[in-house]
Amino acid sequence: MQTEQPHDVSTEIGDAVRRRLAGFVRTLRDNGFAVGLAETRDALRLLASPMAARAELLRQALKALFCATRADWEKFDEIFDAYWQGRGMKRMRPASLSASSPTSSRMPAISALAERMAAAPQSAEHSMDEAGRDARDSHERPARASSAEAISKKDLRDIADPQEIARTHELAERLAHAMRARLVRRQRARRRGRRLDLRRTIHRSVSHGGTPIDLAWRHRKEKPLRLVVLLDASGSMSLYTAFFVRFLHGVIDAFRECEAFLFHTRLVHVSASLRDRDVARAVDRLSLMAQGIGGGTRIGESLATFNRWHAQRVINSRTAVIIVSDGYDTGDPEKLAAEMQRLRRRCRRIVWLNPLIGWKDYAPEARGMQAALPYVDLFAPAHNLESLAALEPYLARI
């Protein structure tokens, strides 16, 4: 009895196509795909099938065959385009395989691709370098996301590596812009009318023959949320000052209704400096304005200056005042309490962000902190990016 020999589909495909497929499989392996002999044999069968007559159908079939993970699925198209279609190459008129090829009549797509890639090997290698970089980028994206998550949980005083510091500053500005975007979306989604606007409803009904189909509503005009940030730049806050300056730069850039002040032994208005698009230049200008930065802290006297000279101009009924300080005050606690009371009567909310809350066994025992707490609506940590991100839901409810 004669046994049936397995059908060798490779004999039905030209040598150029087989070589190109072998190179494609090798490229996929170099980019992390788990491709073996079984997948290669199945790919040969696809190339010998009528599906090979249409490049897009063949792409989808090979994608389903070679992709085992979501990461493979996401980067397959880029590698396929770079290898088979020569992404970045000058387009050439496709040439067909020789007439001796048994499948040349039903494989125009693959034959054209194979001949074109054989005609321009250097461009193909250049394109594959780009594909390799894209594939590596797709591997690096989860790593970058994981790194950002780790940095967001890390206490700012424990970040010493210059690259991590730069990354933290970048994430702080991005966080400020993201908070602005989410707050605007929530405010728009909540805006619904309370009373029917008869005049506009009648005007709209003209196009419907007088039938009031499209109703117009009236609602009370709401003022946008305004932020006023007072940042403690004294010596006890030196580990956090640079970070919060970068965060303030992002806040000023993202929120149109925002004012920023620095205080230590005196108060300095820094909004104009922080509106500079060049971050380094903005920080340099700010350091020149805040001469004496890093000294002691007189929170009560700084708040007295703010209440007397700035509060009436920058505070309205929709203002949230954010004070970033560890609460160590060298001045009179009674004066601080009196100024906090005056500030509380003017604004909608007072938020006190204290980096020390994130420290183990911290208790607000400083005299200045004890004097200010009765007038604070939210007393929250600010020792890392995660704690700052938690501030956004609270602001959205104001």
Side-chain angles (χ1 to χ4, degrees):
M1 181 177 178
Q2 186 177 3
T3 59
E4 184 180 358
Q5 296 296 325
H7 179 57
D8 187 5
V9 296
S10 64
T11 59
E12 302 180 7
I13 302 174
D15 290 339
V17 177
R18 289 201 302 271
R19 287 195 301 269
R20 295 305 300 159
L21 178 63
F24 183 56
V25 170
R26 184 169 58 252
T27 301
L28 291 178
R29 289 173 181 165
D30 292 341
N31 286 279
F33 285 69
V35 181
L37 292 177
E39 289 81 8
T40 305
R41 284 196 298 268
D42 291 340
L44 285 171
R45 293 190 180 94
L46 287 173
L47 294 179
S49 70
M51 185 178 295
R54 296 181 61 184
E56 190 57 34
L57 283 179
L58 181 64
R59 174 208 294 266
Q60 297 302 324
L62 292 177
K63 189 174 184 179
L65 175 64
F66 290 135
C67 296
T69 65
R70 180 177 178 179
D72 293 347
W73 189 269
E74 291 175 348
K75 62 189 176 184
F76 179 86
D77 288 333
E78 295 177 354
I79 300 175
F80 184 94
D81 289 340
Y83 190 90
W84 291 106
Q85 298 179 358
R87 185 178 58 182
M89 294 170 49
K90 187 175 180 180
R91 294 185 63 86
M92 301 174 59
R93 185 174 181 178
S96 59
L97 291 175
S98 62
S100 60
S101 175
T103 58
S104 60
S105 60
R106 55 194 180 108
M107 294 177 59
I110 286 299
S111 63
L113 293 174
E115 291 295 328
R116 185 169 67 180
M117 297 305 295
Q122 294 182 353
S123 297
E125 292 298 327
H126 176 69
S127 298
M128 281 315 304
D129 288 341
E130 292 182 354
R133 285 194 296 269
D134 292 343
R136 286 193 298 271
D137 288 344
S138 66
H139 277 297
E140 290 172 0
R141 285 188 200 110
R144 286 197 297 266
S146 177
S147 174
E149 183 178 359
I151 291 177
S152 68
K153 296 177 181 295
K154 197 170 184 179
D155 195 304
L156 298 172
R157 65 193 172 106
D158 297 330
I159 301 178
D161 182 73
Q163 292 184 349
E164 282 194 353
I165 292 174
R167 178 67 171 155
T168 304
H169 291 171
E170 177 191 351
L171 291 173
E173 293 206 48
R174 288 173 56 188
L175 172 62
H177 285 81
M179 287 173 59
R180 166 65 179 173
R182 287 192 292 265
L183 288 173
V184 169
R185 283 199 298 269
R186 290 184 182 184
Q187 288 174 355
R188 288 178 179 174
R190 290 201 305 264
R191 288 180 179 175
R192 296 182 180 179
R194 294 178 177 270
R195 294 184 297 172
L196 186 65
D197 190 331
L198 291 178
R199 181 177 62 83
R200 293 184 179 179
T201 300
I202 293 172
H203 180 73
R204 292 179 181 181
S205 67
V206 173
S207 59
H208 301 290
T211 304
I213 297 177
D214 188 6
L215 302 181
W217 297 90
R218 299 183 64 183
H219 57 82
R220 184 177 61 185
K221 183 178 180 180
E222 294 185 0
K223 296 180 180 179
L225 177 66
R226 172 177 288 183
L227 294 181
V228 174
V229 184
L230 306 174
L231 173 60
D232 184 349
S234 62
S236 59
M237 287 283 293
S238 59
L239 294 175
Y240 300 93
T241 302
F243 165 78
F244 280 109
V245 166
R246 295 296 291 262
F247 179 71
L248 269 181
H249 184 271
V251 169
I252 290 290
D253 189 37
F255 287 79
R256 288 175 296 177
E257 297 285 334
C258 182
E259 298 290 340
F261 298 82
L262 287 186
F263 67 89
H264 37 91
T265 55
R266 61 191 181 91
L267 185 77
V268 183
H269 186 208
V270 296
S271 299
S273 298
L274 289 174
R275 286 192 173 93
D276 194 323
R277 291 288 182 176
D278 188 326
V279 181
R281 188 168 57 199
V283 174
D284 289 342
R285 290 179 59 189
L286 186 147
S287 61
L288 290 174
M289 295 176 63
Q291 294 178 1
I293 194 169
T297 315
R298 295 186 179 274
I299 305 177
E301 293 183 10
S302 298
L303 285 181
T305 303
F306 175 79
N307 286 330
R308 181 176 181 181
W309 301 107
H310 302 282
Q312 186 174 1
R313 177 178 56 86
V314 301
I315 290 181
N316 60 27
S317 60
R318 290 278 296 161
T319 300
V321 176
I322 300 177
I323 302 174
V324 184
S325 174
D326 53 14
Y328 292 132
D329 185 19
T330 59
D332 184 4
E334 286 74 16
K335 183 176 183 62
L336 173 57
E339 296 301 331
M340 286 291 294
Q341 186 177 24
R342 289 180 59 191
L343 181 61
R344 186 68 190 85
R345 288 197 297 263
R346 287 180 177 272
C347 65
R348 189 177 185 90
R349 294 286 189 276
I350 295 180
V351 177
W352 194 297
L353 301 180
N354 191 333
L356 304 186
I357 298 179
W359 295 18
K360 185 179 179 181
D361 299 328
Y362 168 76
E365 297 176 353
R367 294 190 308 162
M369 200 70 261
Q370 289 287 338
L373 276 178
Y375 309 100
V376 173
D377 296 290
L378 176 66
F379 186 50
H383 62 292
N384 57 20
L385 285 166
E386 191 175 53
S387 59
L388 283 181
L391 182 63
E392 179 258 325
Y394 178 81
L395 296 177
R397 294 193 298 267
I398 298 179

